Amino acid sequence: VSKLADYSENVSESGIFIATEKNLEPDTEITFQLSFPGLFKPIKLKGKIVWTRNQEQASQDNPPGIGVKFIFTSELEKKWLVDLINKFKKTETPAP
């Protein structure tokens, strides 16, 4: 198993951005782990790459990576992740 990325951001109910310099094609299905350090063990999720940003397209504000749409294996899995994301949104403090 190879490591895809060191970090991800922009997690939403439907997908996630994963920073990576690997050359991956849209429509590719992937399995990856999402972790929230200190909270619980990593979660294994499935997704489909919907867009890519390679090194040439990247900038300081927009690093190379992939946009991934979640593929849920059950409604329970989807509800659990959506509830978790909403919980984090409520605890975020707005920037001054």
Side-chain angles (χ1 to χ4, degrees):
V1 175
S2 64
K3 187 172 186 177
L4 182 64
D6 290 325
Y7 75 95
S8 58
E9 58 186 36
N10 297 336
V11 179
S12 72
E13 296 177 9
S14 60
I16 187 169
F17 169 77
I18 300 174
T20 183
E21 293 185 11
K22 292 189 180 217
N23 187 14
L24 301 165
E25 295 295 321
D27 293 327
T28 302
E29 289 190 11
I30 61 172
T31 301
F32 59 98
Q33 290 188 340
L34 181 63
S35 65
F36 298 91
L39 296 180
F40 44 79
K41 294 180 182 177
I43 312 160
K44 185 184 272 189
L45 296 170
K46 291 184 179 191
K48 185 177 189 176
I49 299 172
V50 292
W51 59 265
T52 64
R53 182 184 309 124
N54 63 32
Q55 192 68 35
E56 292 78 33
Q57 299 166 323
S59 68
Q60 186 173 353
D61 293 334
N62 296 299
I66 55 176
V68 178
K69 181 178 179 179
F70 295 125
I71 299 174
F72 296 105
T73 58
S74 69
E75 282 300 313
L76 182 61
E77 180 183 51
K78 180 178 180 177
K79 182 182 179 337
W80 183 86
L81 185 62
V82 168
D83 288 349
L84 179 66
I85 291 167
N86 289 332
K87 185 178 187 180
F88 278 112
K89 285 181 183 176
K90 289 178 186 173
T91 61
E92 287 180 353
T93 54

